[in-house]
């Protein structure tokens, strides 16, 4: 029988089975977890049983996950719609034999990393200065992969910050660049223009605004700009000379680019040594992913749990819930990583997929989410598989009582999702408070938790640079494995193109410089209403 079919039948046969009953088998917690890089991934609180797990692993084998994995690490052009290798792992690999198309890619990676480290050291030590003195503020201007990775990681590693303050500007909404620059002294600010293509309209617009802001106060603003880009020529045309352009190859996808030059803001914040620890953490997860048997392989099992919940059980979304305030940007980072990679509708061959690909990914840090959307997760009719993350220790020994509360809440939420509360239990509690009869019955029904709601938990000792590197690489490989099983190309993003094209067509009409030819009636009506609300339609002379 087809493996997908067998999995669906396993699910149908066991859909109402209490997950708790699976714990009757001794040692389930241990048998349904994977360990790597000092971390433990627990997936015992899912409805996956031995048969389902065997089938999921068979699915990974049938899709040739091991073969595709080696093709990726060896630099074969697995990004087939763009004819590119996928070698972001080379950015963090220890010295070795990474080859793409017969070329040793590690030499270029090493040279760029050394240039980044030299630059970071000179800035952090006050040798590279702005017109007004040592650099105090760094403004990274980028969007998507050129923003989310460094912004997420810089926040995550706040205890390691001993360099300049780092700010991130992404949105083309002028409010973003305005509010960030208002906090900086132009004479002591470095602007990083982070754009692989150096054409992204949001980034280029913000970069030009930042350059004009600096030019008002500084004689040579270009001296305080660096570019992180694959296109040195465009960066040069913007006024940034080759010596301050940190390049990377087309085999580094935007959402996988944090490990190279796009990580410069992180390196400036935490220093080159801690950045190397971060790279080493990613490389350690790579080594685990390449070597561990599938059933012990953390990224593979994380991916298989994802396939089980979305493609087999039909749960539309998954919530990522870091009980770690410094991972507040992890859900946003994973939204791009997972949804831009696997939000696809056709397979490698262009044929329609037989099943939906990536799920909706969302989340917020705990415990905040508990006071916002957990109501729906516990009692809503739809099931949202939850992915909890929590550290064994916090960074603030003097606040250990906070961390104890944090851990207790994390464990309590997954326990509540697992066991729920029956009508009889709710009624008993209310009876104890003196309620009786119809009122007791009515009130008790509101206090029932169905339970049997799946979750996984990733635990790690402490959120340090190496652990963060391992966590990010874990999720990258999870996306890869899910993509291989679904038969899609996880490394292109054609779905972002249409909106960009329409935005550039609409811009003249929004500015009032042209009529809205070709737009649909709804768009025309909205634009007319916006113009009316804005007061007078602005002409070119008003801009
Ligand atoms: O949103 C599309 C996208 O191409 C992302 O994949 C990428 O991370 C982002 O835009 C930014 O691109 P760039 O680094 O070229 O400015």
């Amino acid at each position: 029988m087809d493996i997908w079919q067998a999995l669906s039948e396993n699910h149908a046969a066991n859909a109402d089975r209490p997950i708790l009953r699976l714990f009757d088998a001794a040692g389930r917690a241990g048998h349904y977890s994977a360990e790597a890089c000092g971390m433990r991934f627990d997936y015992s609180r899912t409805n996956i049983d031995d048969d389902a797990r065997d089938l999921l692993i068979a699915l990974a084998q049938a899709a040739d996950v091991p073969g595709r994995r080696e093709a990726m690490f060896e630099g074969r052009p697995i990004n087939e719609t763009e004819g590119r290798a996928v070698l972001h792992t080379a950015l963090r690999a220890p010295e070795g034999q990474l080859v793409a198309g017969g070329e040793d890619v590690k030499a270029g990676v090493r040279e760029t990393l050394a240039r980044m480290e030299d630059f970071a050291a000179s800035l952090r030590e006050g040798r590279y200065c702005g017109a007004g003195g040592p650099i105090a503020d760094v403004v990274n201007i980028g969007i998507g992969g050129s923003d989310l990775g460094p912004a997420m990681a810089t926040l995550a590693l706040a205890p390691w910050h001993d360099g300049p303050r780092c700010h991130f500007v992404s949105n083309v909404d002028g409010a973003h660049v305005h509010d960030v620059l208002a906090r900086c002294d132009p004479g002591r600010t470095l602007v990083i223009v982070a754009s692989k293509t150096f054409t992204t309209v949001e980034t280029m617009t913000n970069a030009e605004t930042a350059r004009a802001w600096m030019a008002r106060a500084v004689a040579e603003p270009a001296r305080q700009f660096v570019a992180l880009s694959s296109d040195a020529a465009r960066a040069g045309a913007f006024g940034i000379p080759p010596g301050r352009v940190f390049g990377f190859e087309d085999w580094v996808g935007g959402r996988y680019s944090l490990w190279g030059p796009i990580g410069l803001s992180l390196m400036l914040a935490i220093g080159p040594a801690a950045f190397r620890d971060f790279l080493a953490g990613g490389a350690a997860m790579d080594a685990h992913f390449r070597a561990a048997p599938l059933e012990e392989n953390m990224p593979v099992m994380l991916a298989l749990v994802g396939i089980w919940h979305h493609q087999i059980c039909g749960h539309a979304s998954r919530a990522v819930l870091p009980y770690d305030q410094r991972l507040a940007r992890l859900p946003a980072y994973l939204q791009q990583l997972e949804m831009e990679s696997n939000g696809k509708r056709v397979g490698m061959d262009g044929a329609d997929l037989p099943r939906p690909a990536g799920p909706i990914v969302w989340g917020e840090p705990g415990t905040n989410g508990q006071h916002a959307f957990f109501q729906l997760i516990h009692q809503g009719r739809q099931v949202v598989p939850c992915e909890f993350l929590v550290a064994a220790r916090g960074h603030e020994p003097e606040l250990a009582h906070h961390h104890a509360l944090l851990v207790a809440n994390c464990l309590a939420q997954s326990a509540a999702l697992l066991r729920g509360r029956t009508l009889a239990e709710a009624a008993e509690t209310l009876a104890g408070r003196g309620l009786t009869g119809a009122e007791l019955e009515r009130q008790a029904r509101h206090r029932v938790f169905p339970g049997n709601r799946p979750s996984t938990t990733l635990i790690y000792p402490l959120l340090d640079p190496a652990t963060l590197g391992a966590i990010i690489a874990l999720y990258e490989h999870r996306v890869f494995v899910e993509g291989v099983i679904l038969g899609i190309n996880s490394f292109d993003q054609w779905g972002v193109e249409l909106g960009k094209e329409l935005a550039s067509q609409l811009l003249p009409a929004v500015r009032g410089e042209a009529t809205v030819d070709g737009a649909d009636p709804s768009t025309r009506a909205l634009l007319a209403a916006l113009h009316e609300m804005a007061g007078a339609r602005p002409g070119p002379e008003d801009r």
Side-chain angles (χ1 to χ4, degrees), residues 143-146 195-197 200 203 254-255 336 340 493 496 500:
I143 197 164
S146 300
S195 176
K196 180 177 171 181
T197 56
T200 303
T203 300
R255 53 193 174 274
Q336 187 199 17
E340 195 166 84
Q493 58 282 323
V496 304
K500 285 187 197 172

Side-chain angles (χ1 to χ4, degrees), residues 404-455:
L405 269 169
L406 187 73
V407 172
N409 272 277
C410 180
L411 296 178
Q413 290 300 324
S414 52
L417 288 168
L418 177 67
R419 67 181 301 281
R421 178 188 282 153
T422 63
L423 184 62
E425 287 169 333
E428 192 184 325
T429 309
L430 290 173
R433 292 187 202 144
L435 260 69
T436 55
E439 183 58 6
L440 183 146
E441 175 80 8
R442 188 178 74 83
Q443 291 283 357
R445 290 181 63 78
H446 287 274
R447 289 158 170 79
V448 171
F449 291 66
N452 219 23
R453 304 216 149 177
S455 69

Side-chain angles (χ1 to χ4, degrees), residues 134-439:
I135 298 295
D137 290 282
V138 170
V139 179
N140 184 89
I141 296 179
I143 197 164
S146 300
D147 166 73
L148 289 163
M152 176 271 294
T154 302
L155 174 62
L157 297 179
W160 274 264
H161 288 196
D162 56 2
R165 287 182 295 268
C166 288
H167 314 270
F168 296 87
V169 172
S170 52
N171 201 330
V172 77
D173 184 343
H176 202 177
V177 67
H178 173 273
D179 291 356
V180 169
L181 295 182
R183 299 202 294 272
C184 302
D185 168 0
R188 298 189 58 196
T189 296
L190 176 81
V191 176
I192 298 177
V193 186
S195 176
K196 180 177 171 181
T197 56
F198 227 77
T199 59
T200 303
V201 68
E202 293 93 332
T203 300
M204 299 324 300
T205 305
N206 281 323
E208 281 159 17
T209 298
R211 189 174 54 186
W213 166 79
M214 198 171 280
R216 287 196 285 276
V218 165
E220 285 184 88
R223 274 206 68 257
Q224 286 171 232
F225 273 67
V226 303
L228 317 176
S229 182
S230 299
D231 197 330
R234 282 183 196 277
F238 184 86
I240 304 175
R244 284 201 309 284
V245 178
F246 299 91
F248 50 104
E249 304 292 329
D250 68 1
W251 38 256
V252 181
R255 53 193 174 274
Y256 298 87
S257 60
L258 168 62
W259 312 96
I262 294 294
L264 182 65
S265 47
L266 174 65
M267 185 192 276
L268 290 171
I270 66 174
F275 190 82
R276 284 215 179 223
D277 290 345
F278 168 71
L279 297 183
M285 183 55 75
D286 293 343
H288 165 81
F289 178 49
R290 278 185 101 167
L294 296 187
E295 61 278 12
E296 294 168 23
N297 196 305
M298 193 182 283
V300 171
M301 293 317 301
L302 182 61
L304 292 177
V305 171
I307 294 276
W308 169 258
H309 284 145
H310 187 54
Q311 280 79 18
I312 305 298
C313 303
H315 304 319
S317 77
R318 59 175 167 242
V320 180
L321 306 164
Y323 275 64
D324 198 322
Q325 182 58 28
R326 294 193 177 104
L327 288 179
R329 297 289 285 155
L330 183 69
Y333 171 80
L334 292 180
Q335 281 177 332
Q336 187 199 17
L337 183 65
E338 303 204 10
M339 292 161 78
E340 195 166 84
S341 297
N342 287 350
K344 305 286 165 65
R345 57 185 297 111
V346 296
M348 282 285 197
D349 56 0
D352 285 345
L353 292 174
R355 53 189 63 82
I360 298 160
V361 179
W362 60 288
E364 275 288 317
T367 59
N368 295 13
Q370 292 172 207
H371 299 271
F373 51 76
F374 270 59
Q375 164 65 40
L376 181 148
I377 291 181
H378 283 292
Q379 288 190 314
R381 292 191 69 88
Q382 60 277 67
V383 174
V384 181
C386 293
E387 302 190 349
F388 293 93
L389 296 94
V390 71
R393 280 197 294 131
H395 282 285
E396 296 75 22
E398 73 285 9
L399 300 177
H401 59 298
H402 284 250
H403 196 73
L405 269 169
L406 187 73
V407 172
N409 272 277
C410 180
L411 296 178
Q413 290 300 324
S414 52
L417 288 168
L418 177 67
R419 67 181 301 281
R421 178 188 282 153
T422 63
L423 184 62
E425 287 169 333
E428 192 184 325
T429 309
L430 290 173
R433 292 187 202 144
L435 260 69
T436 55
E439 183 58 6

